[in-house]
Amino acid sequence: MRIDAARVVVALVALSATPAAAQFQVLDPVAPGQEAPSGPPEGEPAPCGTEEITIAEMGWPSAAILANIHATILRTEFGCTVRLVPGEPEATLSSMATTQQPAVAPELWVSRQAEVWNGAMQAASARAAAPSFAEGPLEAWFVPAYVLESNPGLEGTDDILDHWQVFVPEGHERAELLSCPADWACAIINRNMAAGLGLDERFDVVEPEDRFAMDAALTQAVSRREPVLTYYWQPNALIDRLDLVPLDMGGFDPGHAQCMAIRDCVPFGNSGFAPDTVVIAVAEWVFTDVPDVADYLARASMPISEMNGLLAWQAEEEASAEAVAQHFLITGGDIWRQWVGEDAQAEGVPRDAIE
């Protein structure tokens, strides 16, 4: 497959920019001619009654997509009155803690607002219905799928030393790890992580100038089918576009991870990246007053690979969050119908304070 590096990078930079003012409205569920969600049976009361469900639409792409997906499903499957409202993480959490509005925030990185989140839970104003994403790490070292196919036994970071020669660029003697820009916190972590794994004797850590250069270098390497080892994060369109697969980073060790975040501190052992807690945050009244909606949200963890694909489709089509939501309703029925189904098993988030 030929990859147009410039096109990929331009699209991804556009996704990371601040979007234009969104039109806060609820979508029609699907395009004409497509099967539409059924809604509640005729004659039965809507699970929401007369309550309006307000959903925070955050400014970054994945959160805006989730807000529009849940707004559409709650409207069409549950008969809810739904309104999207603009959101910003700390302000949204503060509002949920004091007024229990908005009712839902589909993608809140609560470990980054731990004090506010803990306060909301202690006040019994909000809690997590479920993780926003399922089935994948948020930060990791990635390799293209073709590298794993040609190198059986390369599954995690502990296996890299046994395969280090795979990552030596043509004409070089040392392997390379493509890290993030030097002024990002992950640059220090990646260097110390490499040292802790004993890779510093075999690998050069390459720190691109900026996000644009990072994405361009990675895209160009994959277009040439080079065996690149790179730091990256998800959900992200580039993961899907380049078919990148996360390596097993091993368990998380707080002591080693703390050392990794300090310049020139070499950990004595390995640790994966510190986990972020990303949840569907829900006002307490939803659990008590509209439990069917709460049960739906408790099942509504989006597979992270699916979100990567939606972000890639958005970049390719230059689509709005509303359009991506419609695309998901058409193509992702095997996922969202499980969220709606009565026999689906929920896997909620423990109601614990965020450290």
Side-chain angles (χ1 to χ4, degrees):
M1 178 180 68
R2 181 179 178 275
I3 297 176
D4 187 331
R7 184 179 183 185
V8 171
V9 171
V10 169
L12 291 171
V13 170
L15 277 180
S16 65
T18 302
Q23 297 179 2
F24 300 115
Q25 59 185 10
V26 178
L27 304 176
D28 290 328
V30 291
Q34 299 292 336
E35 180 183 359
S38 59
E42 186 175 355
E44 292 188 11
C48 299
T50 59
E51 296 282 356
E52 179 184 66
I53 303 292
T54 50
I55 300 180
E57 183 176 20
M58 302 295 181
W60 61 93
S62 59
I65 290 169
L66 287 176
N68 281 274
I69 287 172
H70 294 315
T72 303
I73 292 176
L74 287 176
R75 173 180 167 232
T76 56
E77 284 289 322
F78 293 87
C80 299
T81 300
V82 182
R83 180 165 56 95
L84 293 178
V85 295
E88 181 276 324
E90 187 169 354
T92 295
L93 264 179
S94 297
S95 180
M96 293 180 87
T98 55
T99 69
Q100 296 198 42
Q101 293 292 341
V104 182
E107 184 186 330
L108 267 183
W109 295 64
V110 294
S111 49
R112 302 183 184 184
Q113 285 89 34
E115 184 176 350
V116 182
W117 176 245
N118 290 341
M121 287 196 300
Q122 290 165 5
S125 298
R127 54 174 148 143
S132 299
F133 303 109
E135 304 170 1
L138 298 176
E139 284 185 283
W141 290 357
F142 290 79
V143 297
Y146 56 77
V147 172
L148 297 181
E149 292 168 2
S150 58
N151 292 276
L154 177 58
E155 298 177 354
T157 51
D158 289 339
D159 306 315
I160 293 176
L161 269 182
D162 294 333
H163 296 81
W164 73 273
Q165 291 178 313
V166 170
F167 301 106
V168 177
E170 185 176 355
H172 292 67
E173 296 182 354
R174 291 171 59 84
E176 291 185 353
L177 165 66
L178 179 60
S179 183
C180 54
D183 57 345
W184 294 12
C186 49
I188 296 174
I189 294 173
N190 285 326
R191 282 191 174 275
N192 287 341
M193 187 178 290
L197 289 166
L199 303 183
D200 48 349
E201 296 183 3
R202 302 288 190 182
F203 278 77
D204 291 324
V205 178
V206 178
E207 294 171 350
E209 181 179 358
D210 52 30
R211 168 76 182 276
F212 186 92
M214 179 182 182
D215 287 354
L218 181 54
T219 302
Q220 290 166 6
V222 174
S223 71
R224 296 191 292 261
R225 291 188 67 83
E226 295 175 354
V228 61
L229 173 65
T230 185
Y231 162 83
Y232 223 82
W233 62 93
Q234 51 185 356
N236 200 294
L238 199 67
I239 301 298
D240 182 85
R241 293 290 296 271
L242 303 184
D243 198 12
L244 302 179
V245 181
L247 293 177
D248 182 354
M249 303 298 294
F252 174 67
D253 183 289
H256 294 154
Q258 184 178 21
C259 175
M260 288 175 185
I262 302 173
R263 192 178 300 277
D264 300 324
C265 180
V266 179
F268 292 101
N270 189 27
S271 172
F273 289 94
D276 263 309
T277 303
V278 189
V279 303
I280 304 171
V282 180
E284 188 65 30
W285 70 264
V286 175
F287 292 92
T288 57
D289 296 355
V290 282
D292 287 346
V293 172
D295 288 346
Y296 157 77
L297 293 169
R299 296 188 288 264
S301 295
M302 174 72 78
I304 202 161
S305 59
E306 181 73 13
M307 179 55 75
N308 291 337
L310 292 175
L311 292 169
W313 186 86
Q314 183 180 46
E316 181 71 23
E317 300 296 326
E318 299 182 355
S320 66
E322 295 91 336
V324 179
Q326 289 191 3
H327 174 73
F328 173 73
L329 289 174
I330 295 168
T331 62
D334 57 328
I335 297 172
W336 66 259
R337 290 188 190 282
Q338 293 183 48
W339 300 348
V340 173
E342 295 180 357
D343 58 347
Q345 296 297 314
E347 294 184 3
V349 177
R351 191 174 178 178
D352 296 328
I354 303 299
E355 298 299 334

